[in-house]
Amino acid sequence: MHDIYNFVSGPLVWVSFIIFFGGSLYRLISMAVLARKKDVFVYEYMSLKFGLRSILHWIIPFGTVKWRKNPLFTIVTFTFHICIIFIPIFLSAHIILWKESWGISWWYISDTAADVLAIVVIASCIFFLVRRIVLPEVKYLTSISDYVILAIVAAPFITGFWTYHQWPGFKVMGIIHIVAGEIMLAAIPFTRLIHMIFFPFTRGYMGSEFGAIRHAKDW
Amino acid sequence: MAEPAIKRNDESYKIVDEGIDKGIARLSPEKIEQVINKVLAAETGARLKTYVETCVHCGLCSEACHYYLSHDNDPKFSPAGKVKQTIWEILKRKGKVDPEFIRDASRIASTECNLCRRCAMYCPFGIDIAYLMSVVRRLCHMLGVTQLYIQDTAHSHSATLNQMWVKEDEWIDTLFWQEEEAQDEISSLRIPIEKEGSEIFYSVIAPEPKFRAQLIYQAAVIMNAAGVDFTMPATPGWDNSDQCMFTGDYEMMGRLKKAHFETAMRLKVKRIVMGECGHAFRSVYDVGNRWLAWKMPPIPVTHAVEFYYELLKQGKIKIAKKYDKPVTFQDPCNIIRGKGLHEKARYVVEALCEEFIEMHPNREHNYCCCAGGGVINTGPQYKMKRIKGNRIKAEQLFATKTRGAKVIIAPCHNCHGGIEDILHHHGLDMELHFLGDIIYKVMEKPV
C-alpha cells in the first residue's frame, strides 16, 4: 500500500504534470504551426483588443445575451469552472503536500469551505449529467466520450470528498483520488477538455473577426 | 445513449432535385473518400481541427438557430446537430461515407443553414459553425453535388460574370431604359456609363436589371438628387453578387470578385457603393477578397445603408414629408453581423419615417430571413422548407405587427425574398420595402 502510495504521489505526479504542461504546450504550438501553414489569415485578423473584448464579455457571468438567457446554466457553469481550478490549488491538504515535497506553501481555504465547494462541484457534475440525459438538444450531441470526460472531471472531487470524510476504504480511495487527479490533468491536452487551452483562441478569433472586421458585437 | 447521426424520415427527402440526383448517381464510395480527403488535406487545417476538438457538445448554440426554433426545438436542426450529421461523421469515418450520406450532407449544409452566423454569438467558444457548414458545401461542390437552381446561377456567373444570364447589351440597354424612364420625372437625370474618374462605382446584383429594374431607377434618382458623381460600367464586372461563394465554388468566386474590383480600378473610381444586398456585401467585403488574398477589399466598399446614412447626415438629400406608416426594420445578417450597420440603419429609418417600431430580437441578435446564404437560390422546390424553417420569423413579425408596425423595411434582396414568402404563406398583411423605396417616396426631388 505504501509503495503504491509513494508511486502515485511521487513519480506519477511528475508524469501527469509533464503530460499536462508538455501536452498543452505541444497542442498549442502544433496548432499555431498548422495555422501558420494552412490558415495563415488567422494571424492577420487576430486582434488583441477585440479578442480580449470578446473574451472579457464571455468570462463574466451574465456578460452576454446567451448567459442572461440561461441563468441557471450560467450560475452552475461559472461556479463549476471556478471551483475546479480553485479547490485543488487552495486546498490545505494539497498545500501540505507541496510543503512536504518542495517546502513551498501559500494561502489556503478552510476545510469546511473546501467541503462545501466540493459538494458544489459534484452537484454541478450531476447537473451536467442530467442535462445530457434529459435535454434533447444535448442528448442528440452526446456520445460515450462525453460521459467519460464528465467522469474524469467528477472523479477527483468525489474521491477527495470520500477520503476527507474517512468513509470506509478511505485509504484506498485516497490513492484512487490521486490517480484520478492525475488522469484528469493528463487528459486535458488530449480530450475535449482542451477547451480550457483553446478557449482564448477560438473566442478571441471570433471576437477579432466580429470586432475588427465586422464592427459588431459577438455576445 | 447516442442517437443515430442520420434520420431518414424527414419530409425534405421527398424534394426532387435533379442537380442532387445526377450528382449522387455519378459518385462511388472510392471517389468520395478520395475527394474528401484531398480537399480536407489541401484546404483545411487548424481552424477545422480546433473547432471540432473544442466543441464540448453542450448544445448551447441550439437556441441561436431559426431552423431549430421553428421546428419545435428539433435537435437535428441545431447548429451543432448539423455539424454532427456532417463534418463530425466525415472526420470520424475518414471520408469513408456513401453517396446517400453526401445527399444528406448537401441538404443539411445548403438548405438547412443560411450561414447567418447567429450561432457564433451563442457558442461560448465562438466556434464558427457557418465556416464548418461552408466546408461541407465545398466538399459537395468538389463532388459535383449541388442543387440544380443554384448551380445554374453559378454557371451563369461562370459564363457571363453575372448571376442571371444578363447579356452585355441587355445590361447597357436596361441602364438606358431606366435613365429614359426617370427622365420623364427629372429631365436632367443621367445614369453615367463608363465615366472614368468618377467618385463612385455603383454596383448592383443581377436580379436588379433582370426583374427589379425600378431599383436602378430609384437609385439614379437618389444619386442625381444628391449630386453624387457616380458611374456604372458597361462591361461584365458590374454585378456584385456571388452564388459561387455559397455553392463552394471558390475558384469562380475569386474570378467574380477579381472582375468586380478590376472594373472599379479600370474606371478609376474612389470607391464602390453597393445596392441593398446582403450576400453581395459579404462576398465583396469579407469572403471574396480573402480568396484573392486581400485582407480588406482593395478599394473601399460602401453598402447602401451606410451610403444613405452619409447622404442624410450630410444633408445631401432632403426629406419633403416623412413616411407616415409605422415601420419596423429587418436587420440583415450580412450587413449587421457582417458590418455592424445597425445603428446607421436606424438613423436612416428615423430620418425617413414618422414612427419606427423595433422587432425583437434585433440588431446583431435578429433572426435570419432563412433565404440568405444561398438557400433561396436552391430553387422553388425548397420554398416550403424555408417557410417552415422560419416560423419564428413569422412569429417575430406578427408580434411586431400587433405592436402597430404596418411596413417592414429590409435593406437586403434575400431578406425580401424570404420575408415575402413568409408574409404570403401566413397571410400576414404587412408591406415590405427597401430603404431606397422609402427614400424615393419621401425625398425632395429636382425637376
Side-chain angles (χ1 to χ4, degrees), chain B residues 60-170:
Chain B
L60 290 179
C61 55
S62 307
E63 65 173 327
C65 184
H66 49 284
Y67 281 99
Y68 171 82
L69 296 170
S70 302
H71 284 102
D72 301 316
N73 299 353
D74 183 341
K76 289 202 303 295
F77 290 96
S78 79
K82 292 175 230 179
V83 177
K84 170 188 165 128
Q85 294 170 77
T86 55
I87 204 80
W88 286 357
E89 281 296 310
I90 289 172
L91 292 175
K92 205 160 81 187
R93 300 197 218 162
K94 299 191 165 56
K96 290 191 180 65
V97 295
D98 60 21
E100 286 308 306
F101 179 95
I102 296 299
R103 180 194 296 276
D104 293 330
S106 172
R107 165 179 58 80
I108 293 163
S110 297
T111 73
E112 293 171 7
C113 171
N114 299 88
L115 311 178
C116 80
R117 302 188 191 132
R118 192 170 189 260
C119 42
M121 307 192 306
Y122 286 73
C123 167
F125 302 126
I127 293 173
D128 192 348
I129 295 162
Y131 161 71
L132 298 176
M133 286 296 112
S134 303
V135 171
V136 178
R137 289 185 182 193
R138 173 71 170 165
L139 292 173
C140 291
H141 163 73
M142 296 301 264
L143 287 163
V145 177
T146 310
Q147 287 75 14
L148 183 70
Y149 273 73
I150 193 167
Q151 187 56 51
D152 180 69
T153 64
H155 288 326
S156 170
H157 276 306
S158 161
T160 66
L161 290 179
N162 75 69
Q163 192 196 135
M164 292 275 140
W165 300 101
V166 178
K167 292 180 193 138
E168 276 189 68
D169 58 335
E170 289 172 348

Side-chain angles (χ1 to χ4, degrees), chain B residues 323-367:
Chain B
Y323 192 67
D324 56 5
K325 291 182 197 166
V327 303
T328 186
F329 184 76
Q330 154 79 3
D331 288 287
C333 53
N334 285 321
I335 61 166
I336 307 302
R337 283 190 283 279
K339 184 68 200 312
L341 295 182
H342 39 282
E343 298 309 337
K344 285 181 177 166
R346 276 160 183 74
Y347 177 91
V348 174
V349 171
E350 305 247 2
L352 303 175
C353 306
E354 299 264 6
E355 193 184 352
F356 168 51
I357 298 164
E358 285 281 7
M359 61 173 84
H360 296 282
N362 55 51
R363 296 177 169 84
E364 286 102 333
H365 289 269
N366 185 31
Y367 295 125

Side-chain angles (χ1 to χ4, degrees), chain A residues 31 34-44, chain B residues 43-48 131:
Chain A
M31 212 50 107
L34 185 61
R36 179 59 78 188
K37 220 164 88 187
K38 305 294 286 295
D39 307 83
V40 68
F41 62 90
V42 166
Y43 289 91
E44 289 295 319
Chain B
E43 299 178 17
T44 67
R47 269 198 312 162
L48 180 67
Y131 161 71

Side-chain angles (χ1 to χ4, degrees), chain A residues 27 31 34-35 38-39 41-42 44-45 58 65-67 69-70 73 131-132 136-144 146-147 191-192 194-195 198-199 202-203 205-206 209-210 213-219, chain B residues 1-2 5 41-42 44-47 49-51 53-60 62-63 68 75-76 80-81 84-85 117 120-126 128 285-286 290 295 336-340 364-365:
Chain A
R27 292 302 311 276
M31 212 50 107
L34 185 61
K38 305 294 286 295
D39 307 83
F41 62 90
V42 166
E44 289 295 319
Y45 292 108
W58 282 92
V65 169
K66 178 68 202 172
W67 293 144
K69 283 179 98 163
N70 302 264
F73 183 87
R131 205 175 160 270
R132 279 216 182 279
E137 76 270 27
V138 192
K139 190 178 169 194
Y140 184 67
L141 301 173
T142 299
S143 53
I144 293 172
D146 293 297
Y147 293 112
T191 63
R192 281 192 290 283
I194 191 77
H195 70 262
F198 284 164
F199 164 77
T202 53
R203 185 80 261 167
Y205 181 66
M206 191 45 85
E209 284 266 10
F210 264 73
I213 312 296
R214 301 179 187 145
H215 308 285
K217 295 184 294 190
D218 64 332
W219 58 84
Chain B
M1 194 67 66
T44 67
R47 269 198 312 162
K49 221 167 137 69
T50 307
Y51 288 151
E53 291 177 16
T54 303
C55 176
V56 293
H57 308 171
C58 67
L60 290 179
S62 307
E63 65 173 327
Y68 171 82
K76 289 202 303 295
K84 170 188 165 128
Q85 294 170 77
R117 302 188 191 132
M121 307 192 306
Y122 286 73
C123 167
F125 302 126
D128 192 348
Y285 179 76
D286 190 338
R290 294 186 187 194
K295 182 177 173 183
I336 307 302
R337 283 190 283 279
K339 184 68 200 312
E364 286 102 333
H365 289 269

